[in-house]
């Protein structure tokens, strides 16, 4: 079993880069905020009055909790997403193992072993990165009088071990979900399914998506009904609600992506009858692949847009509570949180788009065999990248609009927030700058080589 676990990691390490980066971010994030909590908890054991309280601010534990609850959820979301694509890239290998008498339990053990091995490989550098980030963040808080000057990041292994254990638990849970399909079907069916798209959304996933949608709506209602003096709580509830709604988008998948894809693809068929028609047909025909590509973009746009619009809305609000929300230190905190979330979302976007596009080698080879040139394929990919960006932006903007409207209701009494057009324009431009080049660069690599060999290899 050890040989089977380590074999794919040695032969195709690039297939696990996305998963390794996601696990690295998860361990580093939990380590960072765990050390900040430890610094606050051990403050009373340190001599001196300057370790007990800061001159201003909500306190280190509150700040770490507010950052951590959102950042950790996003980090784990990225882990689950990356693991799914790591398994998808070796779906054919797992199916072949099933055909030579590997049991479902052995298949699941293999997947779990890969998750554990990858987590252990990234643990040490992730611990170092998390400790450095905690020290730097604490220094910045102290410089702004938001943390006591005498606080220090403690030299303890407990937060690091907790981070490793938490990441392993989430990774193993994700592996159980991801390996469920390949381990439950018959061996011959598993091999056949490795080359096709499973188009139906199962009832459990559909129910979970509806549940997340309802939960996100309840969180936004909670944010909208907070009194003015609880503007900070309203902001956290709105941001958490936007994340839950994005999870609902991910679970509902093709059902959520289909309407904006149909609305965006129709004009493209008219403007570019050849490549535009093919690009639109590809996106409509592979709804699950489309949803996999647009969800990370929606995550990036939804979280970034929510944070930017909430900050702008609070800045235009009147009242003493709203003024405190838009203080220099608070704006810095929101910008720091936005940068952290954008980093996670960007990693998820790049990982997903690379995996989705690279997995289409066989499809590109078939198109080349029927007469398509490389330039025609790249034009098709360019239009697909544009459509993917548009769909992801529309879904993310919908979530951001709902979340910021709830926050605006709490702090201004109006559901119409103040939208910073320049910032939103940069967010859309950033999503496009990530999506289009990644798809094109990966597509150029995918169309290289003899088409007959790629068709025979199944795109692996």
């Amino acid at each position: 079993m050890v040989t089977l676990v380590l074999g794919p990691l040695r032969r195709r390490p690039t297939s696990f880069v996305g998963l390794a980066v996601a696990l690295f971010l998860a361990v580093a994030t939990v380590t960072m905020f765990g050390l900040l909590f430890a610094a606050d908890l051990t403050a009373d054991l340190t001599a001196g009055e300057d370790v007990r309280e800061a001159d201003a601010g909500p306190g280190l534990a509150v700040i770490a909790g507010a950052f951590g609850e959102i950042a950790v959820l996003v980090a784990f979301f990225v882990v689950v997403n990356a693991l799914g694509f790591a398994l998808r890239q070796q779906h054919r290998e797992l199916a072949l193992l099933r055909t030579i008498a590997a049991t479902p339990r052995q298949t699941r053990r293999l997947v779990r072993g890969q998750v554990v091995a990858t987590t252990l490989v990234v643990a040490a550098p992730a611990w170092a990165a998390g400790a450095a980030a905690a020290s730097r963040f604490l220094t910045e808080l102290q410089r702004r009088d938001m943390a006591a000057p005498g606080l220090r990041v403690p030299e303890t292994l407990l937060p690091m071990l907790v981070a490793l254990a938490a990441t392993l638990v989430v990774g193993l849970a994700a592996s159980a979900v991801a390996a469920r399909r390949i381990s439950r079907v018959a061996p011959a069916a598993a091999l056949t399914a490795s080359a096709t798209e499973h188009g139906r959304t199962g009832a459990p996933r559909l129910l979970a998506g509806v549940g997340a949608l309802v939960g996100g709506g309840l969180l936004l209602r909670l944010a909208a009904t907070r009194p003015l003096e609880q503007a900070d709580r309203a902001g956290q509830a709105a941001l958490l609600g936007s994340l839950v709604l994005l999870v609902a988008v991910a679970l509902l998948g093709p059902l959520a992506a289909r309407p904006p894809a149909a609305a965006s693809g129709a004009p493209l068929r008219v403007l570019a009858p050849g490549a535009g028609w093919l690009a639109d047909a590809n996106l409509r025909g592979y709804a699950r692949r489309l949803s996999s590509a647009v969800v990370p973009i929606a995550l990036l746009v939804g979280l970034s847009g929510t944070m930017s619009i909430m900050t702008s809305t609070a800045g235009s609000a009147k009242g003493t509570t709203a003024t405190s929300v838009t203080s220099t230190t608070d704006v810095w905190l929101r910008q720091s949180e936005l940068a952290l979330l954008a980093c996670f979302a960007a990693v998820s976007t790049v990982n997903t788009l690379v995996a989705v596009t690279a997995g289409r080698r066989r499809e590109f080879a078939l198109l080349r065999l029927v007469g398509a040139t490389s330039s025609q394929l790249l034009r098709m990919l360019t239009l697909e990248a544009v459509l993917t960006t548009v769909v992801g932006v529309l879904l993310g903007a919908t979530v951001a609009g709902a979340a910021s409207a709830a926050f605006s209701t709490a702090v201004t009494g109006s559901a119409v927030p103040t939208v910073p057009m320049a910032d939103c324009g940069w967010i859309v431009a950033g999503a496009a700058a990530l999506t289009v080049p990644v798809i094109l660069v990966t597509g150029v690599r995918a169309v290289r080589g003899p088409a007959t060999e790629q068709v025979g290899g199944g795109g692996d």
Side-chain angles (χ1 to χ4, degrees), residues 137-460:
F137 189 65
L138 179 58
T139 300
E140 292 296 325
L141 291 175
Q142 291 169 334
R143 191 163 67 86
R144 291 169 171 80
D145 293 328
M146 301 185 73
L151 282 176
R152 294 293 181 269
V153 174
E155 296 180 358
T156 174
L157 292 177
L158 182 59
M160 299 178 181
L161 295 177
V162 170
L164 178 60
T167 304
L168 282 174
V169 168
V170 172
L172 292 176
S175 69
V177 175
R180 178 173 177 269
R181 179 187 168 202
I182 186 65
S183 64
R184 293 190 63 179
V185 298
L191 185 59
T192 303
S194 67
T196 61
E197 178 179 285
H198 180 62
R200 294 184 57 186
T201 300
R205 180 169 179 169
L206 184 61
L207 291 175
V210 173
L213 192 63
V214 173
L218 292 176
L219 283 170
L220 295 189
R221 182 181 179 184
L222 177 65
T225 55
R226 292 298 87 191
L228 185 59
E229 58 270 16
Q230 296 183 9
D232 285 333
R233 294 185 179 181
Q236 287 299 318
L239 187 59
L240 184 59
S242 68
L243 178 59
V244 174
L245 289 178
L246 289 168
V247 171
V249 171
L251 290 171
L252 295 176
L255 297 178
R258 233 181 233 116
S264 305
L268 196 61
R269 287 174 176 257
V270 177
L271 296 175
W277 182 90
L278 189 56
D280 183 41
N282 278 334
L283 295 184
R284 292 194 188 196
Y286 293 88
R288 181 172 293 275
R289 185 173 69 195
L290 171 64
S291 66
S292 299
V294 302
V295 165
I297 303 171
L299 177 69
L300 175 64
V301 174
L303 293 178
S304 302
T306 299
M307 289 290 295
S308 296
I309 298 174
M310 281 170 48
T311 300
S312 180
T313 301
S316 63
K318 304 299 181 181
T320 55
T321 302
T323 301
S324 69
V325 170
T326 58
S327 64
T328 303
T329 54
D330 189 85
V331 170
W332 178 82
L333 279 176
R334 291 181 183 275
Q335 290 174 343
S336 300
E337 189 172 13
L338 174 59
L340 183 63
L341 297 178
C343 177
F344 289 146
V347 168
S348 180
T349 301
V350 173
N351 287 346
T352 302
L353 294 177
V354 169
V356 168
T357 308
R360 300 174 63 186
R361 285 189 177 92
R362 188 171 187 273
E363 174 190 335
F364 297 152
L366 287 172
L367 289 173
R368 289 166 60 193
L369 289 177
V370 297
T373 64
S374 296
S375 60
Q376 290 173 328
L377 291 179
L378 290 180
R379 283 199 299 271
M380 178 194 74
L381 277 176
T382 301
L383 295 177
E384 285 188 21
V386 172
L387 281 178
T388 301
T389 304
V390 170
V391 174
V393 168
L394 288 176
L395 291 174
T398 301
V399 172
S404 56
F407 177 75
S408 178
T409 301
V411 299
T412 68
S414 170
V416 181
T418 301
V419 180
M421 299 304 297
D423 291 345
C424 291
W426 281 111
I427 292 173
V428 174
L434 278 176
T435 305
V436 177
V438 167
I439 290 179
L440 290 181
V441 171
T442 310
V444 168
R445 295 185 61 185
V447 300
R448 288 178 179 173
T452 52
E453 294 183 5
Q454 293 178 350
V455 169
D460 292 339

Side-chain angles (χ1 to χ4, degrees), residues 83-97:
L83 178 60
F85 280 102
L87 290 184
R88 185 175 299 181
Q89 287 182 308
Q90 55 176 334
H91 199 145
R92 186 176 179 82
E93 292 182 6
L94 296 176
L96 287 172
L97 287 176

Side-chain angles (χ1 to χ4, degrees), residues 63-128:
I63 293 173
F67 269 63
E69 67 181 9
I70 300 296
V72 170
L73 285 174
V74 174
F76 288 159
F77 178 86
V78 174
V79 169
V80 173
N81 191 56
L83 178 60
F85 280 102
L87 290 184
R88 185 175 299 181
Q89 287 182 308
Q90 55 176 334
H91 199 145
R92 186 176 179 82
E93 292 182 6
L94 296 176
L96 287 172
L97 287 176
R98 292 294 314 283
T99 63
I100 58 174
T103 65
R105 178 177 296 181
Q106 289 173 326
T107 304
R108 292 192 292 268
R109 284 178 57 195
L110 173 62
V111 174
R112 289 197 299 267
Q114 291 176 348
V115 172
V116 172
T118 308
T119 304
L120 294 178
V121 167
V122 304
W127 285 338

